[in-house]
Structure formats: C-alpha cells, structure tokens
Amino acid sequence: MKKLHLLRLLLVCIGMAGAFASPVKAAVEININRGNVQPLPIAITDFVSTDGIGAQISAVVEANLKRSGLFAPVSRGAFIETISNPDQPPRFADWTVLKAEALVVGRISREPDGRLRAEFRLWDTFAGQQMTGQQFFTQPENWRRVAHIISDAIYERITGEKGYFDTRIVFVSESGPKTDRKRQLAIMDQDGENVRMLTSSENIVLTPRFSPSRQEITYMSFEGDQPRVYLLQLETGQREVVGNFPGMTFSPRFSPDGQRVIMSLQQDGNANIYTMDLRSRTTTRLTNTNAIDTSPSYSPDGSQIVFESDRGGRQQLYVMNADGSGQTRISFGDGSYSTPVWSPRGDLIAFTKQSGGRFSIGVMKTDGSGERILTTGFHNEGPTWAPNGRVLMFFRQNAGAGGPQLYSIDLTGYNEQQVRTPSFASDPAWSPLLE
C-alpha cells in the first residue's frame, strides 16, 4: 500500500489475471509513432455498482480515452450484452459484431471500512483474451482519481507508453474586466475538473511551473510592486520566497532534479539567465549579453538548456550546455520564436512562433530541424507538455474574446480541444504523473 500525502489517498493496485484468462500479448495495439493514427474502437461498459458511482467512473474513463484522440468509444446504445458479472468472460461475438476491438468492464463496491473497491478488466474481443486487470482501494471522495488511473492503465496497455490522465494542471485564473483583471493561481485535474484556487487575487501572479520531483510549484508574484519568485508546497500550502530581485524576473523553472531554479533577471535594460541552488540560495550567471535572454527550459537529463534571445535582432531559440557554454542558435524560420519548452522525452522542443500577425504553437527537433506547426490562431502562447511527451496544452485568446482560454493538442496537430475552466485562464503548466 502506498500513501499519497497530497490527496491523503490510500490506493492499492492488485493484478487480476484470473484463472480463466491470463494476460497475454494480444493483437490489439495502437502504434502512436505513425503520423496518421486511426482511433481504436473500444467499448466501455458501465461498471457494476449499487449506487451509480460505477457509471460515473466508467464515464470519466470513456471521456479520457476519447479526448486522447487514440480511441473511438462505441456508442452505449449499440451494446448487445449487458455486463452483470465482470468476473465472467463476456460474449465476445456480441462485441466483435460492433467492431469493438477492446472491451472494458468493471465493478465498484464498498469495503466494510467505507473504502471503495474498484476493479476493471480490459479484453481483446477478437482474440478472446484478457489484456490486463487490476483493482484499487481508495476513499470515496477520490473516485475521479481512480478513473484517471484506470484510464492510464488502459492507455499504456494498448499504446505501450505511459498515459497522462492522472495528472494536474496549474494555471493563472483570470477574472474581472480588462481594466481591472484579477489573477490567481489555480490547480485542476487535467480534464478541467476539481478546480481550486491556490492564491488570493490581491497580487499579480505569473508563470507557475511544477517541480519534477515534488508536489511543489514555483511562480512569480508582484507584491508591493516588487517581483519575487516563490515556492509553494501543494501539500501543506506553505510558501517561501526564493529571492527578491531588483530587476524584472521571468519564467522561473525547476531543474530536472528539482534542486535548482533557472530564470531570467533583468538589469540595466538587458536580461540574462541565472540558476539558483535552492539549498544554498546561491546564483550562477549563465549568459552575458547586451540582449534579452529569457524563457529557459532544461532538457530532461539536465545537460542542456533551451532559451529565447533577441541577440540576433529578434527573438530566436538557442541551446546551450547547462554551464552556459556552447550557445547555439537553432531556429531559422520566418518570424519570432519564444516560450521554448523541452519535451519530457527529450526529442522535441515546443515553442510559440509569431509570423504574419498570427501566433502558432509548434515543435522542432532539438537541433532545430524538422519544424512542424501544430496550430495557428489570433494569439496562441505558452505550450506545456504532458508527462508522456505526446500532448501539449497552451492558452489562446481569439480576436474579440474577453480573455484567454486553455486548449490541448497532440503531436499530430489534428486533435485540438478546449479545456474548459470556470474563468479565463492562461500560463498552464502540466504536472508529472502523480505518485
């Protein structure tokens, strides 16, 4: 058993191979490395339960998988078989006739101590084999989290890669008129549910970023008109100042080990990149130019940093070693490039590109080759990666709109969706998978 301190969640995962169907290497799979991925037809039944929570959990699982763009859930109105006992093999012919290549069944029950017991099985309907089966124990208030974990298990079993559903997004919630816009830090599940505020609206907040190793975020706040970088512990709500800086501070981000923060400090009209050791609070300067160097982001192994700079006349992307050496320009397309973010997989860099009066979200290889634009609009900005490196979230403001909204898009560029929030929203940052 593993205790998740942040949600105070007791969660146990137990395999459910079953004597009648051992998990095998089934034919059902999705090759997500191909350019054009055909969504897999999958049937997701209401999980058996006595109080309706089973239907709620299976609905979240279905919504997660559909939103990924990799799965095409079969309409429940077409189901022939009603699953009343998920421990028994289904009537496979009733599902293959619907062209459902995979089938998800489950049960939700309550333990004597009040905990929920959630069980599911994933079947390959054409092979007639169980692909995986697991069960979880948790407190009733954490039922949505169980749905996300089940979604990740299905995603990983069929695609061969980690999912991203059991994650959260921290963002800047914006409310009020443009002339008096209030900005607060907020956090939510990756699907836009369970929104809660982390700060008050008394001070402007910007650029929240997750730690890769702890339930902690870093962000900027203007308190008393003085820019400060803060660390906020999500578990306890404890906040501490990383440093008070006389000049403007931009885009603080964690190093991959969570021991340092990298940021841009402005002095005498220029901005350069610095790292700060969070234990000793000592800073190290990495760039020294008469330009504006900002928006640094580490590679996942911590050996390199991508950043933007106008040293060549307009904003372009550069890569350097972690000690500041070997600064090399990598973007050469028309327009200006900004907000670079290194993929968790290490293979791509996401960016914002401004050209022809429009803003695009794109990706390129780490040497600058293979640039691809995923989406273009009136104003798109601030990409952030899902922890599996397959999906991006960003914020967009359409012409004439009252404020920005969050959107997600996958690496194919075809699966773009709005992530609805209670208010205007900007500066999203995606968490690692929860532990």
mmCIF file with all atom_site columns, all heavy atoms in Angstrom, residues 205-219:
data_model
loop_
_atom_site.group_PDB
_atom_site.id
_atom_site.type_symbol
_atom_site.label_atom_id
_atom_site.label_alt_id
_atom_site.label_comp_id
_atom_site.label_asym_id
_atom_site.label_entity_id
_atom_site.label_seq_id
_atom_site.pdbx_PDB_ins_code
_atom_site.Cartn_x
_atom_site.Cartn_y
_atom_site.Cartn_z
_atom_site.occupancy
_atom_site.B_iso_or_equiv
_atom_site.pdbx_formal_charge
_atom_site.auth_seq_id
_atom_site.auth_comp_id
_atom_site.auth_asym_id
_atom_site.auth_atom_id
_atom_site.pdbx_PDB_model_num
ATOM 1   N N   . VAL A 1 205 ? 0.044  37.300 -10.397 1.00 0.00 ? 205 VAL A N   1
ATOM 2   C CA  . VAL A 1 205 ? 0.874  36.098 -10.423 1.00 0.00 ? 205 VAL A CA  1
ATOM 3   C C   . VAL A 1 205 ? 1.111  35.703 -11.867 1.00 0.00 ? 205 VAL A C   1
ATOM 4   O O   . VAL A 1 205 ? 0.266  35.915 -12.743 1.00 0.00 ? 205 VAL A O   1
ATOM 5   C CB  . VAL A 1 205 ? 0.227  34.936 -9.646  1.00 0.00 ? 205 VAL A CB  1
ATOM 6   C CG1 . VAL A 1 205 ? 0.184  35.228 -8.162  1.00 0.00 ? 205 VAL A CG1 1
ATOM 7   C CG2 . VAL A 1 205 ? -1.173 34.638 -10.177 1.00 0.00 ? 205 VAL A CG2 1
ATOM 8   N N   . LEU A 1 206 ? 2.276  35.122 -12.135 1.00 0.00 ? 206 LEU A N   1
ATOM 9   C CA  . LEU A 1 206 ? 2.665  34.745 -13.487 1.00 0.00 ? 206 LEU A CA  1
ATOM 10  C C   . LEU A 1 206 ? 3.469  33.447 -13.474 1.00 0.00 ? 206 LEU A C   1
ATOM 11  O O   . LEU A 1 206 ? 4.064  33.083 -12.464 1.00 0.00 ? 206 LEU A O   1
ATOM 12  C CB  . LEU A 1 206 ? 3.533  35.842 -14.131 1.00 0.00 ? 206 LEU A CB  1
ATOM 13  C CG  . LEU A 1 206 ? 2.917  37.219 -14.358 1.00 0.00 ? 206 LEU A CG  1
ATOM 14  C CD1 . LEU A 1 206 ? 4.001  38.209 -14.762 1.00 0.00 ? 206 LEU A CD1 1
ATOM 15  C CD2 . LEU A 1 206 ? 1.828  37.163 -15.417 1.00 0.00 ? 206 LEU A CD2 1
ATOM 16  N N   . THR A 1 207 ? 3.500  32.795 -14.598 1.00 0.00 ? 207 THR A N   1
ATOM 17  C CA  . THR A 1 207 ? 4.373  31.665 -14.941 1.00 0.00 ? 207 THR A CA  1
ATOM 18  C C   . THR A 1 207 ? 4.527  30.611 -13.840 1.00 0.00 ? 207 THR A C   1
ATOM 19  O O   . THR A 1 207 ? 5.620  30.353 -13.365 1.00 0.00 ? 207 THR A O   1
ATOM 20  C CB  . THR A 1 207 ? 5.770  32.172 -15.358 1.00 0.00 ? 207 THR A CB  1
ATOM 21  O OG1 . THR A 1 207 ? 6.364  32.903 -14.279 1.00 0.00 ? 207 THR A OG1 1
ATOM 22  C CG2 . THR A 1 207 ? 5.688  33.050 -16.585 1.00 0.00 ? 207 THR A CG2 1
ATOM 23  N N   . PRO A 1 208 ? 3.448  29.959 -13.422 1.00 0.00 ? 208 PRO A N   1
ATOM 24  C CA  . PRO A 1 208 ? 3.608  28.838 -12.485 1.00 0.00 ? 208 PRO A CA  1
ATOM 25  C C   . PRO A 1 208 ? 4.255  27.645 -13.184 1.00 0.00 ? 208 PRO A C   1
ATOM 26  O O   . PRO A 1 208 ? 4.003  27.395 -14.362 1.00 0.00 ? 208 PRO A O   1
ATOM 27  C CB  . PRO A 1 208 ? 2.175  28.524 -12.062 1.00 0.00 ? 208 PRO A CB  1
ATOM 28  C CG  . PRO A 1 208 ? 1.348  28.949 -13.239 1.00 0.00 ? 208 PRO A CG  1
ATOM 29  C CD  . PRO A 1 208 ? 2.039  30.159 -13.809 1.00 0.00 ? 208 PRO A CD  1
ATOM 30  N N   . ARG A 1 209 ? 5.087  26.902 -12.457 1.00 0.00 ? 209 ARG A N   1
ATOM 31  C CA  . ARG A 1 209 ? 5.762  25.727 -13.015 1.00 0.00 ? 209 ARG A CA  1
ATOM 32  C C   . ARG A 1 209 ? 5.844  24.637 -11.947 1.00 0.00 ? 209 ARG A C   1
ATOM 33  O O   . ARG A 1 209 ? 6.136  24.919 -10.781 1.00 0.00 ? 209 ARG A O   1
ATOM 34  C CB  . ARG A 1 209 ? 7.183  26.065 -13.476 1.00 0.00 ? 209 ARG A CB  1
ATOM 35  C CG  . ARG A 1 209 ? 7.257  27.185 -14.506 1.00 0.00 ? 209 ARG A CG  1
ATOM 36  C CD  . ARG A 1 209 ? 6.762  26.751 -15.864 1.00 0.00 ? 209 ARG A CD  1
ATOM 37  N NE  . ARG A 1 209 ? 6.898  27.793 -16.866 1.00 0.00 ? 209 ARG A NE  1
ATOM 38  C CZ  . ARG A 1 209 ? 5.899  28.522 -17.359 1.00 0.00 ? 209 ARG A CZ  1
ATOM 39  N NH1 . ARG A 1 209 ? 4.666  28.317 -16.930 1.00 0.00 ? 209 ARG A NH1 1
ATOM 40  N NH2 . ARG A 1 209 ? 6.118  29.446 -18.277 1.00 0.00 ? 209 ARG A NH2 1
ATOM 41  N N   . PHE A 1 210 ? 5.628  23.391 -12.357 1.00 0.00 ? 210 PHE A N   1
ATOM 42  C CA  . PHE A 1 210 ? 5.700  22.258 -11.440 1.00 0.00 ? 210 PHE A CA  1
ATOM 43  C C   . PHE A 1 210 ? 7.136  21.800 -11.214 1.00 0.00 ? 210 PHE A C   1
ATOM 44  O O   . PHE A 1 210 ? 7.958  21.808 -12.134 1.00 0.00 ? 210 PHE A O   1
ATOM 45  C CB  . PHE A 1 210 ? 4.915  21.069 -11.991 1.00 0.00 ? 210 PHE A CB  1
ATOM 46  C CG  . PHE A 1 210 ? 3.514  20.974 -11.486 1.00 0.00 ? 210 PHE A CG  1
ATOM 47  C CD1 . PHE A 1 210 ? 2.463  21.461 -12.236 1.00 0.00 ? 210 PHE A CD1 1
ATOM 48  C CD2 . PHE A 1 210 ? 3.246  20.404 -10.251 1.00 0.00 ? 210 PHE A CD2 1
ATOM 49  C CE1 . PHE A 1 210 ? 1.160  21.372 -11.783 1.00 0.00 ? 210 PHE A CE1 1
ATOM 50  C CE2 . PHE A 1 210 ? 1.945  20.313 -9.778  1.00 0.00 ? 210 PHE A CE2 1
ATOM 51  C CZ  . PHE A 1 210 ? 0.894  20.802 -10.543 1.00 0.00 ? 210 PHE A CZ  1
ATOM 52  N N   . SER A 1 211 ? 7.404  21.357 -10.006 1.00 0.00 ? 211 SER A N   1
ATOM 53  C CA  . SER A 1 211 ? 8.639  20.636 -9.737  1.00 0.00 ? 211 SER A CA  1
ATOM 54  C C   . SER A 1 211 ? 8.529  19.238 -10.332 1.00 0.00 ? 211 SER A C   1
ATOM 55  O O   . SER A 1 211 ? 7.469  18.605 -10.257 1.00 0.00 ? 211 SER A O   1
ATOM 56  C CB  . SER A 1 211 ? 8.886  20.526 -8.234  1.00 0.00 ? 211 SER A CB  1
ATOM 57  O OG  . SER A 1 211 ? 9.914  19.580 -7.965  1.00 0.00 ? 211 SER A OG  1
ATOM 58  N N   . PRO A 1 212 ? 9.604  18.716 -10.917 1.00 0.00 ? 212 PRO A N   1
ATOM 59  C CA  . PRO A 1 212 ? 9.555  17.361 -11.465 1.00 0.00 ? 212 PRO A CA  1
ATOM 60  C C   . PRO A 1 212 ? 9.665  16.280 -10.401 1.00 0.00 ? 212 PRO A C   1
ATOM 61  O O   . PRO A 1 212 ? 9.435  15.107 -10.690 1.00 0.00 ? 212 PRO A O   1
ATOM 62  C CB  . PRO A 1 212 ? 10.773 17.322 -12.392 1.00 0.00 ? 212 PRO A CB  1
ATOM 63  C CG  . PRO A 1 212 ? 11.731 18.286 -11.773 1.00 0.00 ? 212 PRO A CG  1
ATOM 64  C CD  . PRO A 1 212 ? 10.890 19.382 -11.185 1.00 0.00 ? 212 PRO A CD  1
ATOM 65  N N   . SER A 1 213 ? 10.008 16.653 -9.169  1.00 0.00 ? 213 SER A N   1
ATOM 66  C CA  . SER A 1 213 ? 10.295 15.643 -8.157  1.00 0.00 ? 213 SER A CA  1
ATOM 67  C C   . SER A 1 213 ? 9.447  15.763 -6.891  1.00 0.00 ? 213 SER A C   1
ATOM 68  O O   . SER A 1 213 ? 9.434  14.851 -6.076  1.00 0.00 ? 213 SER A O   1
ATOM 69  C CB  . SER A 1 213 ? 11.778 15.712 -7.756  1.00 0.00 ? 213 SER A CB  1
ATOM 70  O OG  . SER A 1 213 ? 12.107 17.007 -7.280  1.00 0.00 ? 213 SER A OG  1
ATOM 71  N N   . ARG A 1 214 ? 8.735  16.881 -6.718  1.00 0.00 ? 214 ARG A N   1
ATOM 72  C CA  . ARG A 1 214 ? 7.940  17.069 -5.504  1.00 0.00 ? 214 ARG A CA  1
ATOM 73  C C   . ARG A 1 214 ? 6.618  17.731 -5.866  1.00 0.00 ? 214 ARG A C   1
ATOM 74  O O   . ARG A 1 214 ? 6.473  18.325 -6.923  1.00 0.00 ? 214 ARG A O   1
ATOM 75  C CB  . ARG A 1 214 ? 8.685  17.950 -4.490  1.00 0.00 ? 214 ARG A CB  1
ATOM 76  C CG  . ARG A 1 214 ? 9.961  17.338 -3.951  1.00 0.00 ? 214 ARG A CG  1
ATOM 77  C CD  . ARG A 1 214 ? 10.583 18.241 -2.884  1.00 0.00 ? 214 ARG A CD  1
ATOM 78  N NE  . ARG A 1 214 ? 10.990 19.519 -3.439  1.00 0.00 ? 214 ARG A NE  1
ATOM 79  C CZ  . ARG A 1 214 ? 12.163 19.732 -4.030  1.00 0.00 ? 214 ARG A CZ  1
ATOM 80  N NH1 . ARG A 1 214 ? 13.017 18.747 -4.146  1.00 0.00 ? 214 ARG A NH1 1
ATOM 81  N NH2 . ARG A 1 214 ? 12.463 20.922 -4.514  1.00 0.00 ? 214 ARG A NH2 1
ATOM 82  N N   . GLN A 1 215 ? 5.653  17.652 -4.938  1.00 0.00 ? 215 GLN A N   1
ATOM 83  C CA  . GLN A 1 215 ? 4.392  18.366 -5.114  1.00 0.00 ? 215 GLN A CA  1
ATOM 84  C C   . GLN A 1 215 ? 4.608  19.824 -4.717  1.00 0.00 ? 215 GLN A C   1
ATOM 85  O O   . GLN A 1 215 ? 4.214  20.274 -3.649  1.00 0.00 ? 215 GLN A O   1
ATOM 86  C CB  . GLN A 1 215 ? 3.292  17.702 -4.293  1.00 0.00 ? 215 GLN A CB  1
ATOM 87  C CG  . GLN A 1 215 ? 2.857  16.355 -4.823  1.00 0.00 ? 215 GLN A CG  1
ATOM 88  C CD  . GLN A 1 215 ? 2.279  16.470 -6.227  1.00 0.00 ? 215 GLN A CD  1
ATOM 89  O OE1 . GLN A 1 215 ? 1.521  17.384 -6.523  1.00 0.00 ? 215 GLN A OE1 1
ATOM 90  N NE2 . GLN A 1 215 ? 2.645  15.535 -7.095  1.00 0.00 ? 215 GLN A NE2 1
ATOM 91  N N   . GLU A 1 216 ? 5.255  20.538 -5.633  1.00 0.00 ? 216 GLU A N   1
ATOM 92  C CA  . GLU A 1 216 ? 5.702  21.893 -5.364  1.00 0.00 ? 216 GLU A CA  1
ATOM 93  C C   . GLU A 1 216 ? 5.685  22.664 -6.674  1.00 0.00 ? 216 GLU A C   1
ATOM 94  O O   . GLU A 1 216 ? 5.957  22.105 -7.742  1.00 0.00 ? 216 GLU A O   1
ATOM 95  C CB  . GLU A 1 216 ? 7.122  21.831 -4.791  1.00 0.00 ? 216 GLU A CB  1
ATOM 96  C CG  . GLU A 1 216 ? 7.734  23.155 -4.398  1.00 0.00 ? 216 GLU A CG  1
ATOM 97  C CD  . GLU A 1 216 ? 9.117  22.934 -3.789  1.00 0.00 ? 216 GLU A CD  1
ATOM 98  O OE1 . GLU A 1 216 ? 9.995  22.380 -4.481  1.00 0.00 ? 216 GLU A OE1 1
ATOM 99  O OE2 . GLU A 1 216 ? 9.304  23.297 -2.628  1.00 0.00 ? 216 GLU A OE2 1
ATOM 100 N N   . ILE A 1 217 ? 5.352  23.943 -6.607  1.00 0.00 ? 217 ILE A N   1
ATOM 101 C CA  . ILE A 1 217 ? 5.405  24.775 -7.794  1.00 0.00 ? 217 ILE A CA  1
ATOM 102 C C   . ILE A 1 217 ? 6.224  26.028 -7.507  1.00 0.00 ? 217 ILE A C   1
ATOM 103 O O   . ILE A 1 217 ? 6.381  26.443 -6.354  1.00 0.00 ? 217 ILE A O   1
ATOM 104 C CB  . ILE A 1 217 ? 4.005  25.185 -8.296  1.00 0.00 ? 217 ILE A CB  1
ATOM 105 C CG1 . ILE A 1 217 ? 3.262  26.002 -7.230  1.00 0.00 ? 217 ILE A CG1 1
ATOM 106 C CG2 . ILE A 1 217 ? 3.199  23.979 -8.722  1.00 0.00 ? 217 ILE A CG2 1
ATOM 107 C CD1 . ILE A 1 217 ? 1.966  26.596 -7.737  1.00 0.00 ? 217 ILE A CD1 1
ATOM 108 N N   . THR A 1 218 ? 6.774  26.593 -8.568  1.00 0.00 ? 218 THR A N   1
ATOM 109 C CA  . THR A 1 218 ? 7.422  27.891 -8.489  1.00 0.00 ? 218 THR A CA  1
ATOM 110 C C   . THR A 1 218 ? 6.627  28.854 -9.359  1.00 0.00 ? 218 THR A C   1
ATOM 111 O O   . THR A 1 218 ? 6.035  28.452 -10.369 1.00 0.00 ? 218 THR A O   1
ATOM 112 C CB  . THR A 1 218 ? 8.889  27.827 -8.963  1.00 0.00 ? 218 THR A CB  1
ATOM 113 O OG1 . THR A 1 218 ? 9.467  29.130 -8.891  1.00 0.00 ? 218 THR A OG1 1
ATOM 114 C CG2 . THR A 1 218 ? 9.002  27.337 -10.381 1.00 0.00 ? 218 THR A CG2 1
ATOM 115 N N   . TYR A 1 219 ? 6.588  30.113 -8.951  1.00 0.00 ? 219 TYR A N   1
ATOM 116 C CA  . TYR A 1 219 ? 5.845  31.107 -9.718  1.00 0.00 ? 219 TYR A CA  1
ATOM 117 C C   . TYR A 1 219 ? 6.345  32.498 -9.361  1.00 0.00 ? 219 TYR A C   1
ATOM 118 O O   . TYR A 1 219 ? 7.090  32.692 -8.397  1.00 0.00 ? 219 TYR A O   1
ATOM 119 C CB  . TYR A 1 219 ? 4.336  31.008 -9.458  1.00 0.00 ? 219 TYR A CB  1
ATOM 120 C CG  . TYR A 1 219 ? 3.907  31.383 -8.049  1.00 0.00 ? 219 TYR A CG  1
ATOM 121 C CD1 . TYR A 1 219 ? 3.429  32.665 -7.761  1.00 0.00 ? 219 TYR A CD1 1
ATOM 122 C CD2 . TYR A 1 219 ? 3.952  30.459 -7.011  1.00 0.00 ? 219 TYR A CD2 1
ATOM 123 C CE1 . TYR A 1 219 ? 3.030  33.009 -6.471  1.00 0.00 ? 219 TYR A CE1 1
ATOM 124 C CE2 . TYR A 1 219 ? 3.558  30.789 -5.732  1.00 0.00 ? 219 TYR A CE2 1
ATOM 125 C CZ  . TYR A 1 219 ? 3.090  32.072 -5.470  1.00 0.00 ? 219 TYR A CZ  1
ATOM 126 O OH  . TYR A 1 219 ? 2.712  32.404 -4.195  1.00 0.00 ? 219 TYR A OH  1
#
